Structure formats: structure tokens, C-alpha cells
Amino acid sequence: MAEQYGIKGGTAREISASVESRVADGALQPGTSLPPVRRLAEGLGVSAGTVAAAYKELRGRGVVVTLGRGGTVVASAPAVTSRRPPRVPDGLRDLAGGHPDPACLPALSPPAHVEPVPGSHRASPRLAPLEDAARAWFARDGVATGSVTFAHGALDCVARLLSTELRPGDAVAVEDPGFHHLLDLVPALGLRMLPVAVDDEGIRPEPLRTALRAGARALVCSPRGQSPRGARFTPGRREQLLSVLRDFPDVLVVEDDHNAEIADAEAVNLASGGLPRWAHVRTVSKHLGIDLRWAALACDPATLARHDGRMLLTSGWVSHILQATVADLLTDPAVSGLVAEAARTYTTRREALGAALEGHGIPSHGVSGLNVWVPVRDESAVVNGLRTRGWWTAAGTRFRITSPPAVRITTATLTPAEAVRLAQDFADVLAESQAVYGG
């Protein structure tokens, strides 16, 4: 058996090194089952405890994962590129990116005068005006502000939270369909994804319970403006989810409220539910500008200590020039008025496409945020059909794990008049694909 797998060694360290080298050279592919502990121990002439210790080491390094009765298998390779969107072809109307309308964003005005830094900002990483503004932002929506800090954007924050809280091989419950960059990030950290189905009210309680029972040690979700489906939590759904989560007090619940100001949805969050382990992340890229790589994090004290401890060892702090820029924007009444108008514009555009599609008998989802999610039978046929008519949309495959096929359309720049044309083209493409597949 050991010869069959090419595994050698007489100590736990030698055995784990042998397995890792076979994985590195491709002899053991992702998903390959390793021999049971006792069988490998007999083949190598060592104790079962030695092999068990080797497998434990491999799990800790993210080389293998244990699937209960499914045994120990080689972990999947990190999917760091597979879900990234392709380049938009020339001449097409881009409705695939998920980005805000530049016309709805304020002009950025960095500080005109910046004094040289006297050493390091590690001792005072957060500017007081921005920290005050962030606390007020959270408090407005019922999020506790006892522990608040900053990061370089939502994904930077989530990555740090997961990497300090979990070990390689651990499982994370994620939305399905969900944010494609997060679906790349989790396996890149050596973690496993457990999909949780989403409907218009957000993650569903029973699939969440299933994922938590399967061993998920963290949950990452969006309370509103969820990408790609546009879901938002309702008060009833929030209570159902909190009821499930209270049975798993050690699970870290991470909320990514990246669309807080433009989602057109009330603030209904899990962070205000009294959970012992929680983190609520907000960014400004969708309503103030995509170049502002800044995030505010409110969380429980233990999570704050772990996040900031790791950050001090790496980047140290968020640029104070960036912080000053964000602070000025967050406290500028004129900018607040522009953001409020942008939110109304996005709602009008999103609802216009939903209504136009409904006029053709095409069901869609998108009750908040910047996107509309349209279930289809064949993603490629629809995306390619719309491409021939001048539209560039996103196939749902890069947002899905096990959920059914769909197409995501970003409506941030789509005018109501364009929505009527797009819906007609969508209906024509569906009719053509139905003819191909026999109705």
C-alpha cells in the first residue's frame, strides 16, 4: 500500500514530508484518498499513532482534509484565478463588472498638505476623526461600537479574520451563490467551503444549520445588497438565523455590509443579535469610490485583538492620508446628498430591469444592491446570445457552487430605456435557446 502511493518514512515528520512532496510533484492529485491510518501503518512498519500524527500535521498545513467517513483526501488546489471575470470585448455594453456608476461617485480630494511621518503610526494606527465617523456609522444601524478598527478593504479584513481564527483544512460556510472573490479567497487560504443556499431574504436557516453541523467554524455573509443575487435580510429571517447560530457559539460570524449606503434596504444585521463571536465589515468603495481601499470593522473584543495583532505584524496600519480622505468624505453634507441620490438612482435602474424582464415572463431576483440575478437553463447560450446583441453579462458559474444556473446583470449604469431593450433581447435569446433544446 505504501509503495502504491509512494509514501515513505519511519517518523511522523518523514511521512508527512513524503506525502507533501508527492502532492507537490503531482503524483497525488487533489481529491486523491490517502490510505487509512492502520493500513498505512502496517505498510510502513510503524505504529498507527505515528501515521495519525503525520496526518494531523498534514491537515494543519492544509495539504489534506478529513471528510469523516470519506477518509483523508488531498486538499483541493487553491482556486486563485478560476472565478475571475474575462476581459470585456471591445464594443460591448459592460453589465458584468458589479461596479458603481462613476457619475454617482464624488470627486476624491486627498489632503492638500501632509506632514512627514515621525517614525511609525503603529502606536496610533487610527485617525480620531475617522474612528468617530465609523463609530457613528455603525451605531446608526444598531451595531455595537465597543471594538472598532480599520483594514485595507473588505477582502483584506475577511482574509485576516479567517486566517487568524481558522487553521488550514477548517471549513467556512459561504453564500451560494456568492461573491466570486470570496469564493476564490477561502480555498486560497487553505480552507474548505460549505455552501449555504440563498433566497431573496439572504442565507436560509436550514442549509446554514446543515453547514454548521458539518463543522463550519466561520460564516461569511452579506446582510443586504448581496452579490450576485441582490438578497437582503428581513427581520423575520434575522431571528431565524440567530436562533440557529446561538446553538453554535464558537462560530465566528462575519457580515460584509459593503453596500450599506446604496442597497435600498433597511439595516437588518446579525451583528446586533448578541452573538459571542461576530464581525461586521463596511467599506466605501461602492458609494465613495473604488480606489478607496479602506474598511471599518466592528467586532467582539477577542476578534479585534486577533485582527489587530496580525495587522501590526504585516502592514501595520492603513495610510493616514487615505484615512483623512475618507473622513472628509464621510462627514461632508454635500457628499451625503450625492450618495442619497445615487441610492435612488440605483434603485430605479435595478427595478426597471426587473419590471422589464417580468413583462416578458422572465423571473429575476434583485431586491437590493446593484445587480439582478436571472435564472436560466444554459448560461453560455444566454451570455453568448446577448453578446451578439451588444450586451456583456456575467455567467453565473463563477458565483455558484451547487446552486442552479443563472446570469448576473449589473444595473448600476443601465438606464430604464436600455433596460427595456435588454429585456427584449433577453427574451429573444431565451426563445432561440429553447428552440435549440426542443422547447
Side-chain angles (χ1 to χ4, degrees), residues 18-318:
S18 175
V19 172
E20 192 160 1
S21 67
R22 301 298 283 165
V23 171
D25 64 21
L28 292 175
Q29 293 291 314
T32 300
S33 295
L34 296 186
V37 169
R38 293 190 180 279
R39 193 180 306 170
L40 181 57
E42 292 174 0
L44 294 175
V46 299
S47 71
T50 297
V51 174
Y55 280 10
K56 180 179 180 180
E57 170 71 14
L58 290 165
R59 284 196 300 273
R61 292 176 59 79
V63 179
V64 303
V65 295
T66 299
L67 304 177
R69 293 182 179 179
T72 299
V73 302
V74 178
S76 299
V80 295
T81 60
S82 63
R83 296 178 188 267
R84 293 189 179 181
R87 185 184 66 83
V88 181
D90 294 336
L92 296 187
R93 182 75 164 84
D94 182 12
L95 303 176
H99 304 304
D101 184 350
C104 293
L105 299 173
L108 303 183
S109 300
H113 180 76
V114 180
E115 292 289 339
V117 176
S120 169
H121 285 316
R122 277 182 163 80
S124 55
R126 296 179 295 279
L127 289 181
L130 183 55
E131 186 168 354
D132 290 343
R135 291 181 186 277
W137 194 15
F138 287 129
R140 181 197 70 183
D141 295 332
V143 178
T145 60
S147 300
V148 171
T149 190
F150 302 158
H152 299 90
L155 284 175
D156 172 72
C157 184
V158 172
R160 193 172 294 110
L161 292 172
L162 295 180
S163 63
T164 56
E165 184 71 22
L166 279 63
R167 297 189 63 186
D170 285 343
V172 181
V174 298
E175 297 166 326
D176 183 19
F179 184 39
H180 61 293
H181 289 306
L182 177 68
L183 302 188
D184 281 348
L185 174 64
V186 171
L189 294 174
L191 306 172
R192 295 183 291 120
M193 293 189 293
L194 296 179
V196 179
V198 176
D199 60 21
D200 289 346
E201 296 183 68
I203 53 175
R204 294 167 49 196
E206 286 312 308
L208 173 60
R209 185 181 296 277
T210 298
L212 297 179
R213 284 176 173 169
R217 294 192 54 205
L219 163 68
V220 182
C221 61
S222 297
R224 51 186 164 180
Q226 190 265 357
S227 180
R229 190 183 166 107
R232 84 289 184 243
F233 288 165
T234 60
R237 176 60 55 84
R238 172 184 182 271
E239 293 310 310
Q240 292 173 333
L241 295 173
L242 287 173
S243 178
V244 173
L245 290 165
R246 289 183 182 119
D247 291 336
F248 300 88
D250 294 330
V251 170
L252 175 63
V253 178
V254 181
E255 286 187 300
D256 180 4
D257 197 10
H258 62 286
N259 269 326
E261 299 306 289
I262 56 171
D264 184 36
E266 63 177 313
V268 179
N269 56 70
L270 302 175
S272 57
L275 297 172
R277 301 300 317 282
W278 62 276
H280 187 86
V281 186
R282 290 191 179 180
T283 58
V284 297
S285 59
K286 296 297 186 185
H287 70 281
L288 296 183
I290 61 174
D291 199 40
L292 296 173
R293 312 311 297 169
W294 173 83
L297 168 66
C299 56
D300 66 89
T303 298
L304 178 80
R306 292 175 182 176
H307 175 278
D308 282 8
R310 178 65 59 86
M311 192 166 185
L312 284 172
L313 295 174
T314 53
S315 57
W317 66 89
V318 176

